[in-house]
Amino acid sequence: MEIFTKLRGMRDILPGEVGKWQKIEKIFIEMSELFGYREIRIPILESKDLFVRGIGSSTDIVMKEMYEFKDKKGREVALRPEGTASIVRAYIENQIYNKEKISRFYYYGPMFRYDRPQKGRYRQFYQFGVEVLGGKSPYFDSEIIFLLNETLKKLEIFDITFLINSLGCKNCKVLYVSNLKNQLIKVSDYLCNDCKVRVEKNPLRVFDCKNENCKSLLKNIPSIMNYLCKNCKVHFDILVNFLDKNTINYKVDNCLVRGLDYYTKTVFEVISERENIAIAGGGRYDDLVNDMGGPYIPAVGFAVGIDRVVPLVEYKDKEKERTIYLIFLGEKAKAKGIEIIKKLINMKINFETDYEDRKLSEYLRIVDKNKNKWCIILGENEIEKGVIILRNMEKGIQEEVKEDEIVEKIKEKLNVKIS
Ligand code: AMP
């Protein structure tokens, strides 16, 4: 019979690997909470229009990569390709701006993009992100970059570079984009077909093109820095000054525009030097809340690709080491086993067991293969004598412990601290 396999670009994260994911998620959550961010949970399915309006109709994400379909009532819906548009929707819909001046959110979960899968690129991938809404100061941009840098340091990821740029506010952007368009029209014959359309619809998107020819043509285009207004220039300088003072490894990259239309002023990306891949991206989106029907609320945020962080983190799975294996030989032992299990639960000690009727030698092979450090053996003999065997698998030694002393013994051996 044909067996089912996962869809292209999807993956299973198996129990042995999940510990590492949980470690990374935990550190991102702990660090964000230290900085005063609170979790927000948004739906995976939204109206397609939210992303068209939020991310931009001529972005690759919206034009090529959305998982979109009609629901049973014929409404156009889409699996979220990113988190910011939904967060802004929730922020406006729940009028959070009336409740607090500055909102700091973090979120975590799967995102979906129908892109061509390759190393580090999946169709379902996981993003951890933060958003600050309500603040226009460049120190908010600095804060999220600092938070991200500190978190990566905590995960012992050091070989990273922040690429940063400014896209300016609405005014400088309009000036720059019209100039860019004029420049690009001059070289239009040499651009790829996609870029020819981009020049007409949304010239900034030419910077997203992966075609080497288009990339080299862009090298001669004047930098956006020449078009920044005074306010945007000061904003950028304060951020750069902060990065310098706090020894955050960065490079200014005037070709960095990011693939989403909502960015204004600061944009940044974090590159892992080891893997030569972007592990995070973010920036300011001062007009998005207003463009989506809310009041004018400036904002800034980032999203980290957790799938890309995982290969950079060292992790030793201690799960099995911490888990005590219970061997119950015979019916009486199985029935009595629940008393031992209750004691272990009270001590918050992980355990695993197997209720099949196996021989002791087979059980010991299983425990060995499992890499459990400790196991308990209880058979008819032990029940009669009122003892339990506690065995150290690493050392291959075991001792008989009186039934009513087992809790103390396990506490001592496993070094358990009871709160
Ligand atoms: P973006 O939402 O495009 O700004 O991306 C932010 C980060 O999410 C990127 O820097 C990647 O680390 C990660 N990311 C984006 N798309 C994918 C994907 N298809 N597969 C894995 N990670 C991704």
Side-chain angles (χ1 to χ4, degrees):
M1 208 206 302
E2 195 192 338
I3 59 158
F4 288 105
T5 53
K6 55 192 171 301
L7 298 176
R8 197 161 127 78
M10 306 284 164
R11 35 193 210 144
D12 303 315
I13 303 160
L14 301 177
E17 307 160 66
V18 167
K20 191 177 187 180
W21 284 72
Q22 287 173 335
K23 170 183 164 176
I24 296 168
E25 291 154 11
K26 188 165 168 259
I27 291 182
F28 270 105
I29 291 172
E30 271 173 15
M31 289 296 287
S32 305
E33 289 185 348
L34 267 181
F35 278 75
Y37 291 72
R38 288 174 308 147
E39 187 179 4
I40 181 164
R41 297 190 184 186
I42 38 161
I44 287 176
L45 196 63
E46 295 265 12
S47 103
K48 178 187 158 189
D49 261 0
L50 171 73
F51 302 115
V52 177
R53 286 253 311 274
I55 299 169
S57 57
S58 49
T59 57
D60 277 359
I61 296 181
V62 167
M63 288 209 314
K64 303 181 187 164
E65 297 168 7
M66 278 220 288
Y67 275 89
E68 47 184 85
F69 54 95
K70 286 197 168 92
D71 73 5
K72 290 194 192 299
K73 277 256 167 78
R75 284 173 290 235
E76 299 249 29
V77 293
L79 295 181
R80 61 180 186 197
E82 59 106 54
T84 305
S86 302
I87 288 172
V88 169
R89 195 243 337 114
Y91 180 77
I92 299 169
E93 193 172 339
N94 295 288
Q95 298 188 5
I96 299 178
Y97 47 84
N98 280 336
K99 297 173 192 146
E100 54 195 22
K101 286 228 181 301
I102 303 290
S103 296
R104 283 184 170 86
F105 301 131
Y106 72 81
Y107 63 92
Y108 177 65
M111 306 294 161
F112 302 84
R113 292 184 198 170
Y114 194 85
D115 203 351
R116 200 166 43 80
Q118 58 181 54
K119 185 168 171 256
R121 196 200 286 152
Y122 308 98
R123 288 182 173 168
Q124 174 174 333
F125 59 97
Y126 291 79
Q127 282 188 337
F128 180 94
V130 306
E131 313 285 357
V132 187
L133 294 112
K136 62 178 182 317
S137 161
Y139 286 99
F140 288 110
D141 313 30
S142 312
E143 176 183 289
I144 63 165
I145 289 179
F146 182 62
L147 160 60
L148 181 52
N149 194 50
E150 288 297 300
T151 311
L152 293 172
K153 267 171 33 190
K154 250 207 137 139
L155 288 164
E156 297 184 64
I157 301 175
F158 299 108
D159 58 343
I160 49 154
T161 306
F162 281 80
L163 301 181
I164 61 160
N165 192 19
S166 173
L167 298 180
C169 60
K170 243 182 190 157
N171 299 338
C172 351
K173 214 168 157 184
V174 167
L175 263 179
Y176 178 66
V177 169
S178 87
N179 184 279
L180 179 66
K181 187 169 179 174
N182 291 338
Q183 301 277 338
L184 290 172
I185 286 169
K186 286 186 204 154
V187 293
S188 173
D189 288 350
Y190 305 100
L191 293 171
C192 72
N193 287 340
D194 275 355
C195 281
K196 285 192 176 108
V197 179
R198 288 171 175 138
V199 172
E200 288 311 313
K201 279 186 146 180
N202 190 346
L204 264 189
R205 298 275 65 93
V206 173
F207 285 102
D208 299 334
C209 188
K210 293 174 184 90
N211 182 312
E212 288 305 323
N213 200 32
C214 299
K215 275 192 195 168
S216 72
L217 287 169
L218 286 167
K219 284 192 187 130
N220 304 321
I221 301 280
S223 159
I224 187 151
M225 285 293 148
N226 304 335
Y227 294 82
L228 294 188
C229 66
K230 193 162 166 246
N231 191 4
C232 289
K233 184 93 187 65
V234 170
H235 190 102
F236 191 67
D237 288 346
I238 292 176
L239 173 62
V240 167
N241 199 15
F242 176 90
L243 300 178
D244 283 332
K245 282 220 173 87
N246 290 284
T247 53
I248 293 173
N249 190 28
Y250 77 93
K251 267 189 214 142
V252 175
D253 175 356
N254 294 132
C255 286
L256 182 73
V257 293
R258 318 272 318 43
L260 305 101
D261 273 355
Y262 50 63
Y263 287 118
T264 51
K265 292 188 181 163
T266 313
V267 282
F268 64 91
E269 221 162 70
V270 181
I271 307 295
S272 149
E273 300 299 345
R274 198 178 93 188
E275 300 282 323
N276 192 22
I277 200 166
I279 57 172
R284 195 160 258 290
Y285 48 96
D286 286 348
D287 302 318
L288 186 60
V289 178
N290 190 233
D291 289 346
M292 303 245 296
Y296 176 76
I297 305 270
V300 63
F302 69 68
V304 190
I306 299 300
D307 306 71
R308 295 184 185 181
V309 170
V310 167
L312 306 175
V313 172
E314 295 291 329
Y315 178 72
K316 187 169 179 301
D317 189 356
K318 295 225 172 88
E319 190 188 316
K320 288 290 177 189
E321 226 173 83
R322 275 188 281 112
T323 302
I324 188 161
Y325 198 100
L326 313 178
I327 301 176
F328 301 130
L329 301 166
E331 288 309 303
K332 275 193 194 156
K334 274 188 250 175
K336 201 170 168 57
I338 191 67
E339 287 169 29
I340 299 175
I341 289 175
K342 280 182 192 160
K343 288 176 184 164
L344 294 175
I345 295 171
N346 276 340
M347 283 190 286
K348 294 207 176 110
I349 290 181
N350 302 11
F351 66 89
E352 64 179 301
T353 187
D354 168 347
Y355 305 101
E356 297 300 307
D357 293 315
R358 300 183 204 280
K359 290 200 178 105
L360 178 60
S361 56
E362 191 186 351
Y363 269 130
L364 290 176
R365 274 199 302 276
I366 293 175
V367 185
D368 214 34
K369 209 166 152 206
N370 257 350
K371 298 205 165 37
N372 300 89
K373 192 167 169 190
W374 293 92
C375 81
I376 271 176
I377 305 168
L378 184 68
E380 300 228 341
N381 279 346
E382 287 73 33
I383 295 178
E384 253 168 50
K385 282 161 72 179
V387 295
I388 292 165
I389 294 173
L390 183 60
R391 182 179 172 90
N392 183 318
M393 295 300 295
E394 265 177 7
K395 295 189 180 141
I397 47 174
Q398 61 188 47
E399 59 182 303
E400 282 185 353
V401 181
K402 283 200 192 118
E403 209 187 301
D404 50 7
E405 286 171 11
I406 191 76
V407 171
E408 283 310 311
K409 201 67 181 182
I410 291 178
K411 268 202 295 198
E412 177 197 318
K413 296 283 184 192
L414 272 79
N415 202 10
V416 178
K417 292 182 190 70
I418 309 274
S419 52

